[in-house]
Amino acid sequence: MSEAAPRVLYCAFDVVPGPKGASVHITHFTQGLVQAGYAVQLFTAGNGVLPAEDTYCGARIRRIHSDGNFLERAQGFGQALLDHLAEGHRYDVVHFRSIWSGLPLVEAQRQYGYRTLFEVNGLPSIELKYHYPALRGSSLIGKLRRQEVETLARADHMICPSQVTAQYITSLGVAPQRVTVIPNGVDTTLFAPRPVPPADPPILLYVGTLASWQGLELLLEALPFILARRPVRVRIVGRGRKARRKRLTRLVHRWSLEDVVSFEGARPHDTIPEAINQATICVAPLTFNDRNVTQGCCPIKVLEYLACRKPVVASNLPVVRGLVREGMDALLFAPDDPVDLARCVLT
């Protein structure tokens, strides 16, 4: 790293590159920092396939791969960061995306003399119970919430992707002047309209993870109402945990949708525009829950759909209304209402 360039340690407990929106966000953030003249050390999770040491988008990248359950891997990631600092690496700014790296880094801040930036996209006290339902109501969730509040209180500044998330952060006692909203963006050279022959029957497309907050059950529940009026096909592009795939597959069987719905798994991000351009309508059926409404988010999929100039049907939630004008950029349905979702699709 150049001694003249400000030194940034960017920490993300995510696999980069990867098919998730987090990887897209991290990639573009890294590119922006490098182009702005910062010397960036990227510290991410590993998957046992990508090299442990490499360069990525002009930054050095170190990937930490470990075994064990989620919490063991997360704690190991935080310890690896502390070991990295103890080796003598010095930074002007440490930028982190989660409490797994953030809490140990703010605790070590005075010792190593850097400033800290907390990029708040999701908080585990809210999100983990959707991935691991057994944690709902457990003492661990309360412990994580206390760690989140401590990390927020001690970080020098926070950035987040939506006003909904900013409001949640300030509700936890953070002064508004310590929070900056930077909405998600989209690469319009990659995501652009391409002429494709009309699909017959029409294609409804969902792109993203299969997490329960994304509302795929609702989309499947709406399909019989749509199919009663006209045939359609549904493509679901994205990765999901085995339990989620099993649940969604059972619903497809229950409603006899095997000939209508296809689960296509994750695909490289640069191939997503092709799938979007082949679609007739793109959907974002986010559910009404604390992950989407209280914590907030900024769904990259909606921006990517819009960049390809596709008709969009999405839940009428504050995080969606922050991106689109109802009736102009998208049709919005009443959250968790399959009949209203079907109405918007048919319209």
Side-chain angles (χ1 to χ4, degrees):
M1 291 184 181
S2 167
E3 290 298 320
R7 297 159 298 174
V8 176
L9 176 62
Y10 188 7
C11 314
F13 187 52
D14 296 278
V15 176
V16 179
K20 293 174 60 179
S23 173
V24 177
H25 195 129
I26 294 161
T27 297
H28 285 286
F29 227 121
T30 301
Q31 290 171 339
L33 288 169
V34 170
Q35 290 168 5
Y38 293 92
V40 181
Q41 171 69 61
L42 192 55
F43 218 91
T44 70
N47 60 5
V49 177
L50 293 167
E53 301 276 350
D54 203 356
T55 57
Y56 184 72
C57 297
R60 293 182 181 177
I61 184 168
R62 183 173 177 185
R63 298 181 176 97
I64 304 301
H65 176 63
S66 57
D67 298 320
N69 62 36
F70 177 85
L71 288 177
E72 290 169 341
R73 297 196 311 273
Q75 291 169 349
F77 183 77
Q79 184 59 52
L81 280 165
L82 293 180
D83 293 342
H84 176 75
L85 293 172
E87 291 169 0
H89 303 282
R90 293 294 177 264
Y91 299 96
D92 300 295
V93 176
V94 172
H95 176 162
F96 55 85
R97 288 174 50 94
S98 72
I99 64 168
W100 313 119
S101 49
L103 185 56
L105 288 169
V106 295
E107 289 175 339
Q109 181 171 355
R110 181 173 296 180
Q111 178 182 355
Y112 294 110
Y114 48 73
R115 304 281 281 172
T116 50
L117 180 65
F118 188 179
E119 181 186 333
V120 185
N121 293 283
L123 295 168
S125 70
I126 290 178
E127 297 205 348
L128 275 184
K129 60 182 180 287
Y130 294 103
H131 293 304
Y132 305 98
L135 292 179
R136 211 174 274 273
S138 71
S139 60
L140 176 62
I141 296 298
K143 179 180 179 181
L144 291 172
R145 186 171 292 112
R146 291 189 294 273
Q147 291 178 351
E148 290 162 1
V149 170
E150 181 179 358
T151 308
L152 289 165
R154 296 174 68 167
D156 289 309
H157 200 78
M158 279 127 280
I159 54 176
C160 62
S162 73
Q163 289 293 344
V164 176
T165 305
Q167 290 167 6
Y168 180 63
I169 293 171
T170 57
S171 78
L172 297 176
V174 175
Q177 61 269 26
R178 294 176 57 220
V179 182
T180 299
V181 176
I182 304 177
N184 285 333
V186 60
D187 181 354
T188 54
T189 59
L190 180 61
F191 288 86
R194 304 280 188 268
V196 175
D200 185 21
I203 295 173
L204 308 184
L205 176 71
Y206 167 85
V207 175
T209 70
L210 308 189
S212 59
W213 63 68
Q214 298 285 6
L216 289 171
E217 287 93 339
L218 184 72
L219 176 60
L220 297 178
E221 191 177 352
L223 277 177
F225 299 103
I226 298 169
L227 293 167
R229 296 279 299 275
R230 67 174 303 166
V232 296
R233 289 175 50 218
V234 176
R235 297 177 63 188
I236 296 174
V237 177
R239 69 189 305 173
R241 297 173 185 272
K242 181 183 288 188
R244 288 290 301 151
R245 293 184 67 86
K246 283 186 175 180
R247 170 169 171 74
L248 294 171
T249 301
R250 284 197 299 268
L251 292 177
V252 167
H253 292 322
R254 178 187 302 173
W255 289 311
S256 302
L257 299 170
E258 294 90 342
D259 295 334
V260 176
V261 178
S262 62
F263 293 95
E264 302 185 15
R267 56 191 293 173
H269 188 247
D270 61 3
T271 69
I272 296 297
E274 178 185 10
I276 294 175
N277 279 300
Q278 291 170 347
T280 310
I281 296 173
C282 296
V283 295
L286 295 163
T287 59
F288 189 93
N289 56 36
D290 58 351
R291 191 271 179 183
N292 294 329
V293 178
T294 304
Q295 171 190 274
C297 59
C298 183
I300 290 178
K301 64 173 67 61
V302 172
L303 298 173
E304 293 174 343
Y305 297 160
L306 293 172
C308 293
R309 299 184 185 174
K310 284 295 176 178
V312 174
V313 169
S315 302
N316 193 346
L317 298 178
V319 291
V320 175
R321 294 197 299 272
L323 301 176
V324 303
R325 297 163 296 177
E326 184 176 4
M328 298 178 67
D329 306 309
L331 294 184
L332 306 184
F333 63 88
D336 299 343
D337 186 339
V339 175
D340 203 37
L341 191 165
R343 177 191 62 81
C344 287
V345 168
L346 291 166
T347 299

